Amino acid sequence: MAARSQPQQATYDAIVIGAGIQGSFAAYHLAQRHRETLLLEQFILPHSRGSSHGQSRITRSAYPEAHYARMMPDSFRLWQRLENEASTSLYRQTGLVVLGPAGDPVLESCRRSLGAGDVLDTAALAQRFPGLQLQPGEVAVWDDTGGVLFADRALRAVQDIFRQHGGTLRDGEKVLHIEPGDVLTVTTTAGVYRAPRLIIAAGAWTGALVAPLGLHLPLQPLRIDVCYWREKEPGSPGTGRASPCFIALGLSEAPHSIYGLPALEYPGLVKVCYHHGSPVDPEERDRVPPDAPRPYVGVLSSFISRYLPGLEPQPAVVETCLYTNTPDEDFILDRHPKFSNIIIGAGFSGRRGHPPAPQSWSGLWGCLCAHTPRPSAGHGFKLAPVVGKLLCELGLGEEPSHSTAAFAITRFPGVLQPEL
C-alpha cells in the first residue's frame, strides 16, 4: 500500500490526516456520505508506531461517565455494520468483569450504566471466572456485552470499505505543511492536496501538526508496556480462550486501572496491562534500550500473584504501545477555534474523570496524579465508529449526533496561540 514516488497534486472534498482507527473511521463515514476523501498516513501500512496496532482491544457497555455510556449502543451497532460490510468477524463476546472495593463510587457508576448489571461476590465470580480471585472487601460487576475487538482486523476492514466506497488512502506520506483557507492546502513528502475541509486525527503527532496553526493542545504521549503472561497450565479454567475480559480499579496498590484479555493473541498467554506509562516523544518510542527499566511491570506482577494465581508472575512477552492523553482524559472532538473547517480529534487513550479545573495545565496534571482512576483498556478504540461519525459530522458542518460539549478544545485555558 506504499505511496507512489512521483509528486501528487489533487483536490478532494475532504482530507483526513492519520490512518489509525479514529482517522480511518472518519474517512469511512465521509466516503459513505459520497464525499471524495483522501486519507493520509505518514508510515507505511501496516505499522506499529501508533495506538491502533495489535490484535485485541476490550469493548464494553460499563462506563462511569454518562456521555460515553450513551455512545456505546451506537458504537456496537456501527461495529456490527462494519462486520456485515466486510463479511468478517471483528468481535468476540466474552463478557467483562469490573472489580474493585465494595462501594467504590466508580464501580457503582459502572454498575448503574448497565441498568440491571450483576454484582458478583467471591463465590459467584469463582463460578464464572475460576482463575480470578477477589480479595477481602472487593466485589465485581458483570457486563455481559463486554468482549474483544480484533483490532488489526478491524483497522484493515474499515480501510478496505473506505476504499470500496471510492476513498483514496496514501501511506508513507508525512505532512509537512497545512495552509488554512476556505480551501485548505496540505503539503506532504509526496504531493500537494487541497480540500474545503480537513480532519486531523494523528494520535501522538497531533500536537506537532496543530502547533503551526496556532493551537497548543495539552496532549501527553505515553509509552505503555503491553504484557502477556504464561498460563501455568495451558487451557486451564479461567485463563483460556473462553474467559472474560476484566478491569480492576480502585486498588490501593495500583493507582491506575489494570485490565486483562483472554489468551487470544498468543497461545497460552493472557494479556494483562497497567493503564499508565512513561512520557515519551513519539519519534523516540522505538529507540528504547532493551535493558531500560519497566517500573510498572512490578505492579502487574504483584497483581498477578494475588488475583490470577494460574499465571506465571513474570511476563513472557512485553511489547509497547503509545497512549495520547489530555489532562482530564476526555477526548478532543472539536473545530479549530479560528479555522472552522479544520476538525481535530485527539486524546483517545485514557479515561480518568473530571477533577476540579485549575488555572493551568501543570495544575491540572497535578490534580490528575491524585485523582481516582477510571476504567480504560482500548477506551478510544471501542468508540472509534462513533468518534469517526462525529468527526465527519463536524467536518460537514452538521449538528453532531451525540453531544460534544465534554470534548471542546476551549475547556483548556490558553490553547489558542499566535500562528508561527
Side-chain angles (χ1 to χ4, degrees):
M1 200 183 297
R4 297 184 297 276
S5 59
Q6 65 266 32
Q8 298 293 309
Q9 187 165 348
T11 299
Y12 295 86
D13 294 327
I15 298 172
V16 180
I17 300 175
I21 195 65
Q22 313 294 348
S24 294
F25 259 115
Y28 160 95
H29 284 289
L30 285 163
Q32 296 267 3
R33 302 282 292 275
H34 307 292
R35 290 340 193 255
E36 190 173 356
T37 304
L38 171 65
L39 177 57
L40 291 170
E41 170 56 48
Q42 65 173 321
F43 301 114
I44 301 295
L45 293 171
H47 70 83
S48 60
R49 298 289 302 277
S51 302
S52 296
H53 66 283
Q55 298 182 49
S56 63
R57 299 290 191 279
I58 291 175
T59 189
R60 66 183 189 273
S61 296
Y63 258 107
E65 300 85 16
H67 50 280
Y68 293 120
R70 284 192 295 266
M71 291 179 181
M72 281 310 303
D74 198 11
S75 188
F76 276 111
R77 179 184 63 80
L78 290 170
W79 279 118
Q80 180 64 58
R81 186 175 85 173
L82 180 62
E83 280 191 323
N84 294 339
E85 290 173 328
S87 300
T88 188
S89 173
L90 302 176
Y91 164 65
R92 174 173 294 177
Q93 186 173 358
T94 65
L96 170 78
V97 175
V98 185
L99 67 92
D104 180 88
V106 181
L107 191 65
E108 284 299 302
S109 295
C110 287
R111 182 187 61 78
R112 286 193 296 271
S113 73
L114 296 171
D118 294 336
V119 177
L120 309 177
D121 58 16
T122 302
L125 181 63
Q127 286 186 327
R128 296 198 186 188
F129 191 6
L132 180 59
Q133 296 184 357
L134 289 177
Q135 304 302 304
E138 295 177 348
V139 296
V141 173
W142 176 252
D143 178 357
D144 62 3
T145 72
V148 177
L149 287 168
F150 302 128
D152 51 357
R153 192 186 303 175
L155 184 59
R156 286 195 304 271
V158 70
Q159 292 171 355
D160 287 346
I161 300 301
F162 164 68
R163 288 197 299 269
Q164 288 176 25
H165 281 81
T168 301
L169 173 55
R170 295 185 59 83
D171 63 347
E173 290 200 32
K174 184 178 179 65
V175 172
L176 302 176
H177 182 67
I178 299 168
E179 181 66 32
D182 291 340
V183 176
L184 302 118
T185 301
V186 177
T187 303
T188 75
T189 50
V192 178
Y193 310 99
R194 294 178 177 85
R197 55 188 63 85
L198 171 67
I199 294 173
I200 301 174
W205 288 266
T206 298
L209 281 172
V210 301
L213 301 172
L215 270 187
H216 181 39
L217 296 181
L219 297 172
Q220 177 62 71
L222 299 174
R223 182 193 300 111
I224 304 297
D225 290 326
V226 180
C227 301
Y228 299 84
W229 309 77
R230 192 177 307 281
E231 299 168 354
K232 293 179 178 177
E233 298 180 18
S236 58
T239 58
R241 295 176 62 87
S243 302
C245 303
F246 72 84
I247 300 174
L249 54 94
L251 307 183
S252 59
E253 66 273 25
H256 302 268
S257 59
I258 294 172
Y259 62 92
L261 296 85
L264 296 171
E265 298 188 22
Y266 302 114
L269 299 184
V270 177
K271 184 177 181 178
V272 182
C273 306
Y274 190 48
H275 183 58
H276 193 58
S278 304
V280 65
D281 179 341
E283 298 291 349
E284 303 291 328
R285 195 204 91 169
D286 294 331
R287 301 177 188 173
V288 183
D291 58 348
R294 298 182 181 273
Y296 304 113
V297 172
V299 174
L300 291 172
S301 293
S302 176
F303 176 86
I304 295 291
S305 296
R306 297 180 63 199
Y307 288 83
L308 293 162
L311 303 180
E312 298 287 349
Q314 295 299 320
V317 176
V318 180
E319 300 172 350
T320 59
C321 186
L322 276 181
Y323 278 13
T324 307
N325 291 349
T326 62
D328 61 11
E329 297 202 351
D330 271 320
F331 302 158
I332 290 173
L333 295 172
D334 203 358
R335 299 179 177 93
H336 190 293
K338 185 174 180 180
F339 309 113
S340 61
N341 58 348
I342 298 177
I343 314 303
I344 299 162
F348 298 114
S349 298
R351 182 69 206 115
R352 222 192 239 115
H354 298 280
Q359 297 303 309
S360 69
W361 297 344
S362 60
L364 186 51
W365 285 115
C367 284
L368 284 169
C369 291
H371 196 70
T372 304
R374 266 43 174 180
S376 186
H379 173 54
F381 203 101
K382 71 176 69 63
L383 285 160
V386 177
V387 166
K389 182 168 72 167
L390 292 171
L391 291 171
C392 169
E393 291 164 344
L394 288 168
L396 296 177
E398 300 175 353
E399 184 69 22
S401 51
H402 296 271
S403 173
T404 59
F407 312 131
I409 289 173
T410 53
R411 74 186 190 268
F412 302 116
V415 295
L416 191 59
Q417 305 291 323
E419 291 94 329
L420 300 180

